[in-house]
Amino acid sequence: QEPFEYEPAALEKILSELGKSSGAIFDQEAQYSIEAFQLQMVCLTIEQNLIAQTKKSKTGQPTQVRESDLPDFGKIYEQYYTNILAQLPDGESRKTAHALLEEVMVIGEGMSDIRRVSIDKDLLRDTMLRDHERQLSQDLLDYLEDKFLIRRETIGGRIHYEISHDVLLPPLLKSREEARQKAARAQAAAEFKEQQAAAEKRAKEAEILAEQERERRKEADRRRRQALIWSVISIAGFVLAAATGIWALD
């Protein structure tokens, strides 16, 4: 893979957009005050996009990034967040990462009140196990830190982790809401399926009871007919016996 170079116009666009997203103030001498990890996230996303486009078009890989190659900066953090979690090796790791980042390491329900929180590593593990029944490995924490999604700090001699920057909160919140809606749909579907199965079971039970009732009535009718026949036979026998006695007297 050839190294990438950025045209001056592309660099200025990147710095300008990052300054807007981070609230940085432009200074003629210091230039933009932007955290290094933001620049790394953006450049990695841009380069991955170019590599993916190259593979799709089967053309030679470009070595220079132009302004026209830059993505929609309104979605770049969302794209980065999604891609990094998608690159985890298995579904269980991805589920654990989503639960950790979206349910444990933030508080608040909407963009107006969502906040990052710094949490002790042991408390993170205990919370994940208690509330989500998931083991939190050091490998996963190291991966998320290496990919700039979380950062580590030492407080009072203990290791804490927190979401690396506020720019990740919108994609994190969006992912959480989508996951919750998906879980709600799955729960509703499961409940509907359970209700449907229960209704089918009740219908079968009702049909069995109805069949048993029909059989009971048929048996009762058969016994009544049999009793009637025996009654007729008994009466006929009595009449015949009486007639025979009268004939004998004559």
Side-chain angles (χ1 to χ4, degrees):
Q1 178 181 321
E2 296 291 332
F4 287 92
E5 294 181 357
Y6 288 77
E7 288 185 348
L11 283 175
E12 182 60 30
K13 176 72 171 178
I14 292 172
L15 294 175
S16 174
E17 293 293 337
L18 286 181
K20 293 176 185 177
S21 65
S22 64
I25 298 175
F26 182 76
D27 182 271
Q28 290 290 346
E29 295 182 0
Q31 299 297 314
Y32 287 103
S33 175
I34 297 170
E35 294 191 40
F37 87 92
Q38 287 181 267
L39 193 58
Q40 289 171 315
M41 279 196 296
V42 169
C43 291
L44 180 60
T45 301
I46 293 169
E47 292 170 9
Q48 286 178 338
N49 287 348
L50 288 176
I51 292 171
Q53 291 171 12
T54 299
K55 290 180 179 179
K56 187 175 181 180
S57 62
K58 298 180 180 180
T59 59
Q61 179 180 306
T63 58
Q64 194 166 50
V65 179
R66 300 164 298 180
E67 185 175 0
S68 59
D69 295 321
L70 301 182
D72 179 359
F73 278 86
K75 296 181 179 179
I76 197 165
Y77 293 115
E78 177 183 343
Q79 182 181 351
Y80 180 84
Y81 179 82
T82 301
N83 289 344
I84 291 302
L85 294 190
Q87 289 169 17
L88 283 164
D90 56 78
E92 289 304 307
S93 295
R94 288 190 286 275
K95 289 178 181 178
T96 300
H98 278 288
L100 172 69
L101 297 170
E102 298 166 12
E103 300 290 352
V104 177
M105 298 187 73
V106 292
I107 57 175
E109 291 301 314
M111 276 308 303
S112 62
D113 63 349
I114 191 169
R115 297 290 183 272
R116 297 178 290 137
V117 289
S118 178
I119 305 178
D120 178 87
K121 180 173 72 173
D122 291 337
L123 180 57
L124 275 179
R125 286 177 167 163
D126 292 344
T127 303
M128 288 293 293
L129 188 60
R130 183 189 68 242
D131 295 347
H132 301 278
E133 299 181 344
R134 293 191 170 276
Q135 295 283 351
L136 178 58
S137 69
Q138 187 61 48
D139 285 344
L140 180 58
L141 288 170
D142 291 342
Y143 173 83
L144 297 175
E145 182 183 6
D146 183 60
K147 298 301 182 181
F148 316 114
L149 293 185
I150 63 175
R151 64 184 177 190
R152 175 174 47 181
E153 58 184 350
T154 302
I155 302 176
R158 297 183 63 83
I159 295 175
H160 286 62
Y161 289 94
E162 70 173 338
I163 304 295
S164 59
H165 198 278
D166 285 345
V167 296
L168 292 172
L169 293 180
L172 184 152
L173 181 61
K174 180 179 179 182
S175 177
R176 185 177 71 180
E177 289 307 308
E178 289 175 348
R180 287 180 176 179
Q181 290 173 11
K182 182 178 179 181
R185 289 194 297 270
Q187 178 66 24
E191 290 176 355
F192 175 77
K193 187 175 180 180
E194 184 178 343
Q195 292 171 358
Q196 193 174 37
E200 290 175 355
K201 182 180 179 181
R202 289 194 297 271
K204 288 181 180 179
E205 290 174 347
E207 179 60 28
I208 291 172
L209 290 175
E211 181 63 24
Q212 290 174 344
E213 179 63 17
R214 286 193 292 271
E215 290 297 323
R216 187 190 66 78
R217 290 181 178 179
K218 285 172 61 177
E219 178 64 16
D221 289 343
R222 185 187 68 79
R223 289 181 178 180
R224 281 196 295 271
R225 288 195 300 272
Q226 189 176 45
L228 179 61
I229 291 172
W230 281 111
S231 296
V232 171
I233 291 174
S234 296
I235 294 171
F238 176 78
V239 171
L240 180 61
T244 300
I246 293 172
W247 291 338
L249 290 175
D250 291 341

